[in-house]
Amino acid sequence: MFHVSNVRRISASFARVPCTAAALVIAVLAVVASASPASGQDAPAALTAADYERAERCLWDHTDPLVLGGWPNPQWLEDGRFWYWNRFESGSEYIIVDPAAGTRERAFDHARVAAALSAQTGEEYTAFALPRGEVALEAGVVRFEVRAEGETYACRLAAARCEPVPEAEAAPGRFDIVSPDGANAAFIRDHNLWLRDLTTGETTQLTEDGFEDFGYATNNAGWTKSDRPVLRWSPDSRRIATFQHDGRGVGMMYMVTTEVGHPELEAWRYPLPEDSVIFRIHRVVIDTEAPAGSRVVRLDMPPDQHRSTVCDHVACRGTFSDVEWSSDGSKLVFVSSSRDHKRALVRVADTSTGAVRDLFEEVVETFFESHANWRYLSASDEILWYSQRDDWGHLYLYDASSGELKRQVTSGAWNVERVLRVDEEAGEILFMGNGREPGDPYFAYLYRAALAGGDLALLTPDSANHVVWLAPDGETFVDQYSTPTIPPVTVVRDMDGEVLQTVERADISRLERTGWQPPIPFTVKARDGETDLYGLMFRPSNLDPGAKHPVINYLYPGPQSGSVGSRSFRAAHRDLQSLAELGFVVVELDAMGTPRRSKTFQDAYYGNMGDNGLPDQIAGIRELAERHAWIDIDRVGIYGHSGGGFASTSGILRYPDFYKVAVSQAGNHDNRNYEDDWGEKYQGLLEEYSDGVTNYDNQANQLVAENLKGKLLIAHGTMDTNVPHSNTMLVVDALIAANKDFDLLLFPNRGHGFGNEPYMMRRRWDYFVRHLMGAEPPPEYEFGRIQPLVP
């Protein structure tokens, strides 16, 4: 008769089995262990270190190296060619492509560079194991710049020599923002804005009246902060659009480190939805060529609330958001957004006088987002504007002189996702869109449209998710297309969408030889029984259809994004396949309330963030269980991080009869305790009623703590400056008051991103194995000890 010790010995014999053999092994071991007595007692099912090793092999670090030619990231050169780093069967290489000539070849002699780099550094380098670096052309000669052994080296092929690159005395600092002409860089010093001449190194103070809590170009949104200034240079590199950041009277956030002796205090301004005063920005234009004392032109308007139509900051995608320059720098077009995001006012300023003129406004019932899709067209004095006023994200053309609408440029039951380029001379725009083509509505495609309206041109016809890099000369573009189940193909196309050249076809044969399997795309109905929802399901690779497998629902509820994320191919989706290999079915689903569908779809739970799309998650899992007998609908767990941590706790507290186990990480459990922009955008401005109830009570997890029935592991970093850990402490306090059993894991001195730390991952796996599967995990499993598989 088998004992647990026998089970462990059998499991150890599978230590070298690849990740996708795990499910069958686990199923067999679980049956054997559960049916076998140990020391006269019934022994519980047990998983071993070998089982965890097989699951660990499904993580990105183990699967991605097995994909060849999968992820070219084209870097364009000035002459129309581009280069990229590539993984191939013998190692890695640098490839250069000339679309005009139709050639693809190695960018340089790799063996020669390896020998030169070895001679210079004293370390041994081989041809196809060079460090990652940058390729450039200097007078037609390839230059390879790489950081090795703590130094930067430039390898010039003509001389077959690599030489150290001295640090330029006038090089821009880490947080400097360089002007378009490369001559100067702007930076912050002592709350004022300064200029650095990148030729001489000379610095010039541009502003003089900045002080703490009222500094120039200050980069602080509360939930995120940086020393990098928030500004935008004019095209002629003369003027700077920025602001004085007014934090006077804004509430403070406090955190202390964990250490021996006195802790260190971190304190900064961090506004909350309940605050009467939040950050304001006093807009200015700085003329760097004007005499001292007259450089700053203040816009003639009251300060704006610290808001944008792009993200939860006024600095999005690396620049000052909602600001567009005229080509000659004489005009600045910008958007003033209301605190609640319901009103976006488009305005134009005279940069010489500071006079401001209102053009038009967008007013919505819930919240407005532009996703950075609007542009000022300087040549025609028009504004290309983005709106969801017809329930879908489309482009509209306005007269920038009168503010009158001229025409709708795109239309239909689909979305403009991202404007890539506007060719004013040709009267055309290039943009990514989704939902227009048959199939998965989340697949992105490249389109061309005329500003005058009319039919669209689809430039990437393959039914897949497309990632595009446009050539600077406007003649070609690189198109990388794939699906969650089909690996990427990278091609060069002309501007009519015709394929000129295939650059790479990803080879996943080595990955497949390990038994790897892709996730299963699925479609289910939403809570209303009518709306289609889309997701991915991860199964044990050697699934026994006669067995019942518990379910783990991974989610990120939005409303600014969804659970699944990109529809491009990935060798690993977080640790979802790893969890599946432990014996679970893992489901991620983009529920109602997430973007990239209609505006109505995204607004599904506006004002009730406690909804978190959970009714759709539950409806979808129930539908999957009806289709697949191997799904155990009576054993469902849930986990997520940040907004997903909020949602996973909400799930087990609001639906305690459905979700039996939850792992909640870094959750914003009550958005009154999270940054002002987030809650006020999706929940509305805080209102307190005469009975003491507020409009935020429907989303606060601590108010439903008494509902806990299952097992809850709640985790947070104690120095999380994004989501302060007071959010978790509110729930902890309420659970204690309700006399509920739960598990708490605090990560000392950690910020927001601890979710994939090995310890957190191991505790997450253990929690689901022990409490959802009913098995005993291996004691204190340690990640990172197994060697990668190279079939």
Side-chain angles (χ1 to χ4, degrees):
M1 184 169 291
F2 279 89
H3 290 258
V4 171
S5 59
N6 301 116
V7 171
R8 288 174 178 161
R9 283 195 294 272
I10 294 170
S11 177
S13 69
F14 289 94
R16 294 187 177 276
V17 177
C19 75
T20 47
L24 179 59
V25 174
I26 290 167
V28 171
L29 294 177
V31 171
V32 171
S34 62
S36 305
S39 304
Q41 302 292 327
D42 287 342
L47 301 189
T48 68
D51 301 322
Y52 270 46
E53 286 176 6
R54 287 187 294 275
E56 183 182 351
R57 292 195 188 281
C58 295
L59 297 174
W60 178 264
D61 288 348
H62 290 272
T63 57
D64 181 63
L66 302 180
V67 178
L68 305 180
W71 320 114
N73 184 20
Q75 305 296 311
W76 291 98
L77 300 171
E78 291 182 0
D79 65 354
R81 293 184 287 173
F82 65 86
W83 67 270
Y84 62 92
W85 179 89
N86 183 54
R87 185 187 291 125
F88 73 120
E89 61 273 8
S90 299
S92 61
E93 60 186 350
Y94 290 84
I95 298 293
I96 195 162
V97 176
D98 187 338
T103 59
R104 174 196 178 277
E105 57 191 7
R106 287 197 175 121
F108 49 79
D109 186 326
H110 288 53
R112 233 179 146 197
V113 166
L117 193 59
S118 299
Q120 177 65 48
T121 65
E123 299 292 327
E124 184 177 351
Y125 291 94
T126 58
F128 302 122
L130 292 170
R132 297 289 285 269
E134 299 287 326
V135 175
L137 292 180
E138 293 181 348
V141 178
V142 175
R143 179 178 187 266
F144 176 59
E145 187 168 296
V146 61
R147 188 161 183 82
E149 307 306 317
E151 298 286 342
T152 300
Y153 296 92
C155 303
R156 293 172 175 82
L157 278 300
R161 186 172 67 249
C162 296
E163 298 175 340
V165 178
E167 290 190 13
E169 293 183 4
R174 177 184 172 192
F175 297 110
D176 291 6
I177 298 183
V178 179
S179 60
D181 62 8
N184 296 290
F187 65 97
I188 296 173
R189 179 187 292 167
D190 297 329
H191 311 293
N192 282 291
L193 202 62
W194 290 65
L195 196 67
R196 190 191 320 277
D197 186 309
L198 295 180
T199 301
T200 66
E202 180 182 353
T203 61
T204 302
Q205 186 169 351
L206 298 176
T207 68
E208 299 179 351
D209 57 341
F211 55 90
E212 187 174 5
D213 296 331
F214 199 37
Y216 284 89
T218 305
N219 196 333
N220 184 11
W223 67 276
T224 184
K225 51 191 172 66
S226 169
D227 291 327
R228 179 180 173 85
V230 181
L231 57 85
R232 184 171 291 197
W233 282 94
S234 62
D236 62 4
S237 298
R238 175 173 175 169
R239 294 179 173 88
I240 295 172
T242 187
F243 50 80
Q244 259 188 294
H245 189 266
D246 196 346
R248 294 171 296 183
V250 173
M252 297 292 293
M253 181 61 65
Y254 303 99
M255 291 185 183
V256 293
T257 60
T258 300
E259 54 190 278
V260 175
H262 295 287
E264 293 183 14
L265 172 68
E266 184 168 355
W268 73 104
R269 302 288 178 183
Y270 187 121
L272 299 172
E274 61 197 41
D275 293 346
S276 59
V277 177
I278 65 170
F279 292 138
R280 289 85 65 204
I281 59 173
H282 300 246
R283 297 181 184 269
V284 301
V285 172
I286 300 173
D287 187 340
T288 64
E289 298 180 7
S294 60
R295 295 190 178 107
V296 178
V297 176
R298 297 187 176 274
L299 300 197
D300 187 11
M301 55 177 285
D304 272 332
Q305 303 292 312
H306 186 280
R307 293 290 184 264
S308 79
T309 69
V310 182
C311 71
D312 303 322
H313 197 355
V314 294
C316 314
R317 301 182 182 180
T319 190
F320 187 10
S321 297
D322 282 337
V323 170
E324 291 276 317
W325 282 99
S326 63
S327 59
D328 62 0
S330 65
K331 295 179 182 177
L332 188 72
V333 181
F334 62 97
V335 179
S336 295
S337 292
S338 61
R339 178 170 173 169
D340 60 6
H341 287 274
K342 296 180 187 294
R343 180 173 179 260
L345 177 61
V346 182
R347 316 170 99 168
V348 60
D350 184 314
T351 60
S352 297
T353 66
V356 175
R357 185 163 51 89
D358 296 346
L359 297 177
F360 62 90
E361 65 179 2
E362 184 91 13
V363 180
V364 297
E365 293 183 4
T366 54
F367 57 89
F368 174 72
E369 297 173 314
S370 74
H371 308 292
N373 280 323
W374 71 271
R375 301 285 188 277
Y376 173 57
L377 311 184
S378 185
S380 60
D381 198 27
E382 295 172 318
I383 294 172
L384 185 67
W385 184 247
Y386 174 91
S387 172
Q388 293 174 292
R389 64 189 61 169
D390 66 358
D391 206 30
W392 299 92
H394 284 297
L395 299 174
Y396 298 77
L397 196 65
Y398 280 82
D399 187 309
S401 296
S402 65
E404 295 295 321
L405 175 64
K406 299 179 75 170
R407 71 182 68 90
Q408 183 169 351
V409 177
T410 63
S411 61
W414 54 276
N415 293 305
V416 170
E417 184 175 317
R418 185 162 56 98
V419 174
L420 299 184
R421 179 178 292 166
V422 180
D423 186 337
E424 292 189 64
E425 185 176 343
E428 294 179 340
I429 46 177
L430 293 173
F431 63 88
M432 304 301 295
N434 71 283
R436 184 175 182 268
E437 311 307 320
D440 190 325
Y442 293 94
F443 285 172
Y445 298 85
L446 179 66
Y447 298 92
R448 182 176 62 239
L451 288 170
D455 294 335
L456 298 179
L458 172 63
L459 304 182
T460 53
D462 302 86
S463 181
N465 190 59
H466 295 262
V467 180
V468 165
W469 295 263
L470 301 178
D473 62 10
E475 296 296 323
T476 59
F477 65 92
V478 176
D479 173 24
Q480 185 178 105
Y481 59 93
S482 65
T483 76
T485 62
I486 300 174
V489 177
T490 306
V491 300
V492 178
R493 297 181 188 268
D494 65 20
M495 298 314 296
D496 290 322
E498 294 297 322
V499 175
L500 302 177
Q501 185 179 3
T502 298
V503 174
E504 296 289 346
R505 288 186 182 273
D507 178 359
I508 63 169
S509 58
R510 296 197 306 173
L511 185 63
E512 291 176 321
R513 285 198 294 272
T514 70
W516 175 91
Q517 64 178 13
I520 300 173
F522 65 84
T523 305
V524 292
K525 296 297 182 184
R527 68 187 80 181
D528 59 9
E530 297 179 359
T531 305
D532 285 334
L533 303 177
Y534 297 81
L536 296 176
M537 179 169 59
F538 303 80
R539 305 178 304 166
S541 53
N542 291 314
L543 181 84
D544 178 2
K548 287 280 190 180
H549 296 268
V551 179
I552 296 175
N553 181 191
Y554 169 80
L555 82 166
Y556 188 86
Q560 92 293 2
S561 65
S563 301
V564 178
S566 170
R567 261 51 180 193
S568 292
F569 180 87
R570 280 174 278 173
H573 295 244
R574 304 178 185 85
D575 64 341
L576 304 189
Q577 186 60 43
S578 295
L579 286 167
E581 292 303 332
L582 293 177
F584 300 98
V585 173
V586 183
V587 173
E588 57 177 0
L589 175 68
D590 285 333
M592 296 181 71
T594 56
R596 302 186 66 198
R597 302 286 291 278
S598 68
K599 175 66 171 167
T600 301
F601 187 97
Q602 188 178 8
D603 285 350
Y605 59 81
Y606 174 81
N608 181 20
M609 291 181 71
D611 178 288
N612 277 309
L614 291 164
D616 299 317
Q617 301 287 344
I618 293 169
I621 292 170
R622 289 192 184 281
E623 186 174 337
L624 290 173
E626 291 174 359
R627 298 179 195 172
H628 306 294
W630 32 265
I631 289 180
D632 189 346
I633 196 64
D634 294 323
R635 289 187 294 167
V636 181
I638 185 171
Y639 106 83
H641 188 91
S642 192
F646 169 43
S648 55
T649 299
S650 183
I652 201 168
L653 297 181
R654 298 176 192 276
Y655 302 93
D657 294 326
F658 185 79
Y659 291 111
K660 305 303 193 300
V661 180
V663 176
S664 168
Q665 302 166 184
N668 48 309
H669 299 285
D670 186 340
N671 287 286
R672 287 171 290 194
N673 262 40
Y674 186 43
E675 60 109 350
D676 61 315
D677 201 328
W678 180 265
E680 292 181 352
K681 184 175 185 178
Y682 300 118
Q683 186 74 17
L685 298 179
L686 182 68
E687 299 178 50
E688 184 171 347
Y689 309 123
S690 57
D691 58 0
V693 173
T694 79
N695 62 319
Y696 273 61
D697 288 6
N698 62 13
Q699 56 82 51
N701 279 339
Q702 75 271 15
L703 299 183
V704 288
E706 71 277 2
N707 293 343
L708 180 64
K709 292 182 180 179
K711 300 294 294 185
L712 170 62
L713 171 61
I714 191 166
H716 219 117
T718 64
M719 294 296 290
D720 188 339
T721 56
N722 181 340
V723 180
H725 74 283
S726 59
N727 280 267
T728 282
M729 293 298 103
L730 288 171
V731 177
V732 166
D733 193 42
L735 290 168
I736 292 170
N739 196 32
K740 296 295 182 178
D741 290 335
F742 65 97
D743 294 284
L744 174 65
L745 183 57
L746 294 179
F747 284 80
N749 300 326
R750 306 303 206 283
H752 194 58
F754 65 86
N756 288 324
E757 279 193 27
Y759 186 78
M760 183 69 244
M761 189 179 300
R762 195 264 290 178
R763 291 294 301 272
R764 182 166 66 237
W765 292 13
D766 288 356
Y767 209 75
F768 285 123
V769 166
R770 181 175 286 121
H771 298 297
L772 192 61
M773 181 182 289
E776 188 62 23
E780 299 181 351
Y781 179 79
E782 187 173 349
F783 288 97
R785 292 193 169 191
I786 61 175
Q787 294 298 314
L789 287 175
V790 184

